[in-house]
Structures are given as C-alpha cells and as structure tokens.
Amino acid sequence: MSIVVRDVHAHELDSILELNNAAGPSILPLDAARLRHLHDTAEYFRVAERDSVMVGFLIGFGAGSDHESSNFRWFQSHYSDFFYIDRVVVASRRRGGGVGRAFYADVQSYAEVRHPLLTCEVFLEHDNDPVRLFHGSFGFREVGQHVMPGSGIRASMLVKDLCSYPWVRETYGGVLPDEPWLGRPRVPVRTPEETKA
C-alpha cells in the first residue's frame, strides 16, 4: 500500500487527461493538445502510484520558464526566483490517503535545492477549505490574490519559504553535485525550429 512518485511517461497522457478533467471545479480542464504542451515543457511532471495504479500527478515550472499561466506570470511579477506548482491532481477515491503529502514532499525536495520559494494557488470560488487547510498545514501562506483573465476566477496566491535553499546556494552556488537522489530537471522537448537555432 505504499505510494510511489515517479517521472511521467508519454503513453500515460490519456490517463492523466482523464484524471485532470474528472477532478472537479478546483482544477481547470485541459484538452489533449494543452496537456501535451505541458508534458513537453514542464520542468517537473511526476505521477503517483498506489498498488501499481496511477492515482495522481503534479506539474511544476521554475521561475525562468516561459509558462503561459496568468497565475505563474503573477508570481513572476512579484518574485525573482521560485518554483511554481501548476497543478496537482489526486483521484477522488484516493484523497485523504497521503498522496498529496507524498507529492508535496517530493516537489519540495526537488525545489528546495534550486529555489528559495515554492508557490501555488488555490481557487477561492469553490468550497476549497480542505485544500486551503492542506496548504496551510504544509507551511504555505497567502501573499495576495489574483483574478484570472477570461475566467474571472479568484485565486489565493500561496508561497512557502524553502529554508534549505540559502545553505545550498552558499555551499554549491549554481552547480549541484551529481547525486542521483537530487533528481534532474526534465529537458523540454524542442521544436524543429528551436533545434536548428
């Protein structure tokens, strides 16, 4: 009954799309083309399995990304360096079973050696008190609110200070040791035009 968090495989995108679009109003729906774009550009895209069955996924981007989300752009306008959780989805039948905490421990472990802040948003329009409580218990705090253009959805913008980052930066600068447990950023897929440049 253990939870395994691992890198996504491209052949799993149909299952991920189904999970995303069944998540309810607290997660924006996706189409296959948008999900493929996220797969091809995300710095962090991992899935969780329980008993060899996929039960969720988390997608994230570093501050230097060209990610198109208005919430990501809001963080870019307020902070010079951060890691952004674009979306985290846990299958409804698995919520409350530790999958979200496993994801957040994994993404924090990845981010804290690279960035001073972990960021995300929670929609305020829906009954999201359990989600807000989850984030508060994980050390996030609200630093502002943002109304998403086009949808009119108001989001609570959350940050968590990553206390390991200053020591890592002072000790290693911008070059982390080559350790398998550190993980590596995913390499975005390049278009044929970018490959020629």
Side-chain angles (χ1 to χ4, degrees):
M1 293 271 272
S2 64
I3 299 166
V4 175
V5 178
R6 60 161 176 80
D7 289 334
V8 68
H9 301 297
H11 71 270
E12 297 172 314
L13 292 181
D14 288 342
S15 298
I16 288 167
L17 185 62
E18 187 178 324
L19 260 178
N20 185 91
N21 292 341
S26 63
I27 297 292
L28 294 176
L30 289 173
D31 60 27
R34 178 71 180 140
L35 180 58
R36 172 55 72 172
H37 178 73
L38 291 173
H39 174 267
D40 291 348
T41 59
E43 179 178 330
Y44 177 106
F45 194 148
R46 292 177 59 89
V47 299
E49 290 182 342
R50 176 170 266 164
D51 302 326
S52 300
V53 175
M54 184 191 308
V55 294
F57 67 93
L58 191 150
I59 302 172
F61 295 85
S65 164
D66 288 332
H67 188 45
E68 300 161 0
S69 157
S70 70
N71 292 324
F72 175 80
R73 299 290 185 200
W74 187 94
F75 285 114
Q76 274 188 324
S77 72
H78 289 80
Y79 300 98
S80 61
D81 193 6
F82 59 91
F83 189 81
Y84 173 68
I85 297 171
D86 180 72
R87 64 185 61 223
V88 56
V89 172
V90 175
S92 58
R93 68 189 182 286
R94 298 296 185 167
R95 291 181 192 151
V99 176
R101 288 203 171 270
F103 269 135
Y104 274 62
D106 189 73
V107 74
Q108 179 174 320
S109 178
Y110 174 83
E112 69 187 349
V113 297
R114 296 170 174 88
H115 304 279
L117 294 173
L118 189 57
T119 66
C120 64
E121 77 279 339
V122 172
F123 296 162
L124 296 174
E125 267 70 14
H126 309 290
D127 183 18
N128 268 347
D129 280 347
V131 177
R132 292 166 66 191
L133 177 60
F134 171 84
H135 284 85
S137 72
F138 212 82
F140 285 89
R141 68 185 191 285
E142 184 179 89
V143 291
Q145 293 186 1
H146 171 64
V147 176
M148 298 167 59
S151 70
I153 295 172
R154 180 175 296 278
S156 172
M157 309 306 279
L158 306 176
V159 303
K160 177 180 181 173
D161 296 302
L162 298 177
C163 59
S164 300
Y165 177 77
W167 180 87
V168 172
R169 185 74 179 164
E170 182 180 311
T171 305
Y172 295 101
V175 182
L176 294 173
D178 187 18
E179 295 291 339
W181 61 268
L182 280 173
R184 289 179 177 75
R186 294 176 75 243
V187 178
V189 173
R190 297 193 178 276
T191 65
E193 293 79 27
E194 291 173 321
T195 306
K196 293 176 189 172

